[in-house]
Amino acid sequence: MAILLVALLVLGSRIIQQASHQLTQVLHTEVQPLAEVNELQSQISQLRLQEISLPQLEDFFAVTTEVEKISNQIAKFSATLSAFSSQMTSLYPLQIQRLNENWIRLEGSLTQTLAKANHMQMAEVQRISTYDSSARFTSISSTLRSLADAIEASSTKAHITAIQDLDERRQKFTTVAIAVLVFGSLSLIMFARSLSLRVRLLRDA
């Protein structure tokens, strides 16, 4: 009986470990990428705000300071996107390809914007921001939203699958536990009867 109880405890521990591992996998493969998409969306929105504010500046030193900030933001977004793409290309190849293509175009527009700003050509900065960058910012934001929806749908599906698997394991464990308890109880009854019979035989002898 003790051996059966130990085996039951080991089985229960294994089920818990498997469930924990599966939920951890869901976290790393679905939830974390969704947070990274939100971070990219936040960065690109910040970059857009900086760009549309640039033509409003008139002081040269204020412009050069803002140009440096935008350059840093461009580098930050580029690094974040590169790391994200390397992780997610295999799962969402079309969205990642579209995202990178749009970023290459936008980065080119932003490079022109900063060059014009350094020469205080604010009319050109305004023109590029309005007619070139705007559509590319919109394309990137749209792609990120589409990617977030795809990841969220996949995350929901993975979570439901994990819960269903956990329920199946719980049911199997419950069935095994009941079988072990019934078998153990029957074994104890049989042992008690056998012991009682031996005692009776010894007494009669």
Side-chain angles (χ1 to χ4, degrees):
M1 183 64 178
I3 296 176
L4 290 176
L5 290 176
V6 169
L8 190 62
L9 290 174
V10 170
L11 178 61
S13 176
R14 183 177 179 184
I15 289 175
I16 293 173
Q17 290 176 352
Q18 289 176 340
S20 176
H21 176 73
Q22 189 168 5
L23 291 174
T24 300
Q25 287 295 106
V26 171
L27 175 65
H28 286 298
T29 59
E30 306 296 342
V31 179
Q32 186 174 341
L34 187 59
E36 292 172 354
V37 170
N38 290 334
E39 174 61 21
L40 286 169
Q41 188 71 266
S42 175
Q43 289 184 25
I44 202 67
S45 297
Q46 177 63 29
L47 189 56
R48 177 57 174 166
L49 287 175
Q50 290 175 297
E51 189 216 23
I52 62 176
S53 300
L54 187 59
Q56 302 172 16
L57 301 177
E58 298 179 355
D59 181 74
F60 176 76
F61 294 103
V63 170
T64 55
T65 298
E66 192 62 22
V67 165
E68 183 178 359
K69 290 180 180 179
I70 293 175
S71 296
N72 291 336
Q73 187 67 22
I74 290 172
K76 181 181 179 181
F77 183 86
S78 185
T80 304
L81 178 60
S82 178
F84 179 76
S85 297
S86 65
Q87 296 174 2
M88 305 303 293
T89 297
S90 61
L91 296 176
Y92 306 98
L94 295 179
Q95 291 96 325
I96 296 299
Q97 180 182 356
R98 190 180 310 124
L99 192 59
N100 280 280
E101 288 174 351
N102 287 329
W103 171 243
I104 290 172
R105 297 188 186 99
L106 176 58
E107 192 174 17
S109 296
L110 292 173
T111 299
Q112 294 179 27
T113 296
L114 298 184
K116 298 297 183 182
N118 280 325
H119 290 86
M120 296 301 291
Q121 298 176 7
M122 291 309 180
E124 278 298 299
V125 171
Q126 183 67 58
R127 184 191 66 78
I128 295 171
S129 175
T130 302
Y131 297 105
D132 291 346
S133 301
S134 179
R136 290 163 186 172
F137 271 111
T138 301
S139 295
I140 289 177
S141 293
S142 177
T143 302
L144 286 172
R145 284 194 298 270
S146 173
L147 191 56
D149 290 341
I151 293 174
E152 187 173 1
S154 178
S155 176
T156 300
K157 182 179 179 180
H159 181 71
I160 292 174
T161 300
I163 295 299
Q164 289 175 341
D165 289 345
L166 180 59
D167 287 340
E168 290 179 2
R169 292 192 183 104
R170 187 185 297 114
Q171 291 174 1
K172 290 179 180 178
F173 177 74
T174 301
T175 301
V176 172
I178 292 173
V180 168
L181 291 174
V182 170
F183 179 78
S185 299
L186 291 175
S187 297
L188 288 175
I189 292 172
M190 294 297 294
F191 177 75
R193 287 183 178 179
S194 176
L195 184 61
S196 176
L197 179 60
R198 291 180 182 179
V199 170
R200 190 181 305 115
L201 291 173
L202 290 173
R203 184 184 58 194
D204 292 343

